[in-house]
Amino acid sequence: MAITPEILKELMKGYEKPEDLMGKDGLLKQLTKALVESALGAELTNHLGYEKGDRAGKQSSNVRNGGSKKTLLGESGPLEIEVPRDREGSFEPQMIRKGQRRFDGFDQKILAMYARGMTVRDIQAFLKEQYGADVSPDLISDVTDAVLEEVKAWQERPLESLYPLVFMDALRVKIRDEGTVKNKAIYLALGVARDGQKEVLGIWVEQTEGAKFWLRVVTELRNRGVKTILMAVVDGLKGFPEAIHAVFPSAQVQSCIVHLLRNSLEFCNWKDRKAVAQELKAIYKAATPEAAADRLTEFEAGAWGRKYPPIGRIWRRAWQDVIPFYAYPEEVRKILYTTNAIESLNSSLRKTLKTRGHFPNDESAIKLIYLAIRNFSEKWTMPIHAWKLALTHFAILFPEAFDAPAV
C-alpha cells in the first residue's frame, strides 16, 4: 500500500524540528508503536477468527483478554508496546515472538559494531548515547556468543575438491589462558578456488606451531572435501611442508617471498634497508632458479652479504621452498610472492584487532575474527588478478589435477 501525500501531510502536522520526527517521543517512534500494535491486533483477529467487537465472539470459547506491556530495543531506542492476549493463552504472535526483547536487525547492529573491533563497553556506551538504550554487557555478550554456533558450522562446512592455491599465515593475538595473558597465533588458511575466487577455509588457534598441529589442520581440510592443493604459500611455518606432503603428496610448498624479505631486513640498519632490498630483488626477479642461485651467491660475496651474513643463511635454509615459483611467468609469480590476497586480509584484521588489549579466551578471539572475515569477504566478488594465466600454467604443470571436471 502506497503512502499518499495526503497521509504524509496529515502525519507531519506540527513538525517544526528534527526531534519532532526522530526524537525520543517523535513521530517515527509513535508510528512504529501504532503499526506494530495494529499488526499484532490483526494477528490475534486471525487467530480467533473474528473481528474485535464482532457478535460472533460471544459464541466463541476464546476471547480477547487485554494485553501485556513489553519493551523492545530497536534502532530508535527502547519502544514500549502492548501485546494482545487471548483468554486461553493459545495466541502465539509472529511479528513479536514470545520472549523476544529486540526488534529484528538490532542484533545485527551489535554484531556489526563488534566486527569492527568495538568492545562490549564501547557498544554499550554507543547504544546509550545514540538511542538512549540501556543495554547490559550480558545482553551484548549473549548476542555475540550466539555467533559461535554459526562459527562452528562455518568451520565444519564442506569445501571444494580443488584449490590451486592456499595461503597460510598467522596473526599474533593476546589471549588470557590459565590465568595469564599469552601471545597466541591465530592461523588462517585462504584458498583460491578453480574460478579464482578467494575463500577463507578456516581459523585455528595454537600457542606453538609444529608438524603435529599442521598435520591436524591439513587433515581437517582433507576431511572437509579438499582432494587436491597444487601450491601452498607459507611463511616458513615450522613442520608445515612435512604435514602437507603427508596429506597432499603432490602439493608444492612455496615460501612467501615477502615474509622472507621482511625477515632479512630485520638484520639491517634502517638506512641500509632500501639498498639491501634492491640487491635481494635481483634474486627473486631472476629468470631461472639457476640464475637466482647465482644472484644469491653474488649477494653473499658482496658488501651487503658480508655485512649481514644471516641474510644469506636465511635464504639458503629456505631455498628448496623458494624456487618452485620460478616455473611461472612474472605475472603469475606476483600472485605467489606478493601474497596480496592474504596480506590484504591480515591488514584489515589487524586494524580490527588493534583496539583490543587482550581476549578473555580463544573463542572470543575467533568470534571477532570470524565476524570481521564475514564482513570483508562480502567484497570479494572478482577473481584475483591474472588468474586465467595462472590457471593455464597450473593445468600444464599439474595435468592430473584437471583431469576431473570442476565441482
Side-chain angles (χ1 to χ4, degrees), residues 187-322:
Y187 292 97
L188 303 175
L190 178 69
V192 181
R194 187 168 177 160
D195 61 1
Q197 294 289 345
K198 296 178 292 185
E199 177 187 359
V200 178
L201 307 182
I203 306 170
W204 298 270
V205 181
E206 189 73 2
Q207 211 164 331
T208 57
E209 61 186 78
K212 287 184 179 179
F213 168 68
W214 285 114
L215 185 61
R216 176 168 67 85
V217 170
V218 293
T219 300
E220 180 182 316
L221 295 179
R222 180 82 178 191
N223 291 340
R224 289 166 59 195
V226 182
K227 295 179 180 177
T228 306
I229 293 173
L230 303 185
M231 181 171 282
V233 183
V234 298
D235 174 24
L237 299 173
K238 183 180 179 182
F240 183 81
E242 298 87 347
I244 196 165
H245 287 144
V247 181
F248 301 103
S250 63
Q252 287 184 339
V253 177
Q254 171 67 50
S255 185
C256 173
I257 302 298
V258 170
H259 283 92
L260 200 56
L261 286 169
R262 286 178 185 163
N263 295 340
S264 299
L265 296 178
E266 283 182 0
F267 293 97
C268 302
N269 295 327
W270 184 259
K271 62 183 179 62
D272 293 340
R273 289 190 173 191
K274 186 175 181 180
V276 173
Q278 190 63 33
E279 289 280 322
L280 293 173
K281 187 176 183 180
I283 302 173
Y284 64 84
K285 286 283 189 176
T288 64
E290 292 78 16
D294 290 341
R295 300 295 85 77
L296 177 55
T297 300
E298 290 169 6
F299 174 84
E300 291 173 311
W304 296 121
R306 294 196 306 273
K307 184 174 182 178
Y308 301 113
I311 295 178
R313 291 197 290 270
I314 288 175
W315 284 75
R316 291 289 180 192
R317 282 197 299 269
W319 193 246
Q320 290 305 309
D321 296 331
V322 169

Side-chain angles (χ1 to χ4, degrees), residues 56-210:
K58 295 182 179 180
Q59 311 301 319
S60 172
S61 62
N62 195 14
V63 296
R64 287 172 171 80
N65 189 33
S68 57
K69 294 192 180 300
K70 174 181 281 192
T71 299
L72 292 167
L73 291 172
E75 294 190 5
S76 299
L79 177 70
E80 188 177 271
I81 62 169
E82 186 166 286
V83 180
R85 298 179 303 201
D86 62 330
R87 181 172 293 171
E88 293 179 354
S90 57
F91 175 49
E92 294 280 353
Q94 298 302 303
M95 184 176 188
I96 305 297
R97 299 173 299 280
K98 285 185 177 180
Q100 183 177 337
R101 291 291 179 266
R102 302 180 294 281
F103 279 111
D104 291 340
F106 189 76
D107 287 6
Q108 291 304 314
K109 180 175 285 293
I110 290 176
L111 291 175
M113 289 187 284
Y114 192 84
R116 286 171 172 79
M118 294 177 67
T119 64
V120 169
R121 184 175 296 178
D122 292 336
I123 296 171
Q124 187 182 20
F126 178 84
L127 293 174
K128 176 65 176 177
E129 180 181 342
Q130 294 294 315
Y131 306 115
D134 287 310
V135 179
S136 70
D138 287 344
L139 185 148
I140 296 171
S141 294
D142 287 346
V143 170
T144 57
D145 283 347
V147 173
L148 290 174
E149 283 301 313
E150 184 180 332
V151 173
K152 186 174 183 291
W154 177 80
Q155 288 275 67
E156 296 174 354
R157 76 194 188 282
L159 298 173
E160 296 195 26
S161 62
L162 168 64
Y163 287 93
L165 274 178
V166 174
F167 297 94
M168 295 280 187
D169 207 355
L171 294 165
R172 289 287 168 182
V173 178
K174 294 184 183 300
I175 300 176
R176 183 170 291 279
D177 187 2
E178 297 179 348
T180 60
V181 176
K182 299 178 181 178
N183 237 350
K184 287 191 175 183
I186 305 285
Y187 292 97
L188 303 175
L190 178 69
V192 181
R194 187 168 177 160
D195 61 1
Q197 294 289 345
K198 296 178 292 185
E199 177 187 359
V200 178
L201 307 182
I203 306 170
W204 298 270
V205 181
E206 189 73 2
Q207 211 164 331
T208 57
E209 61 186 78

Side-chain angles (χ1 to χ4, degrees), residues 375-406:
N375 282 357
F376 304 147
S377 60
E378 289 175 358
K379 302 173 185 177
W380 294 346
T381 58
M382 299 293 291
I384 65 175
H385 181 66
W387 181 249
K388 290 294 185 184
L389 181 60
L391 193 65
T392 299
H393 279 78
F394 284 133
I396 293 170
L397 294 171
F398 302 92
E400 67 285 350
F402 293 85
D403 289 342

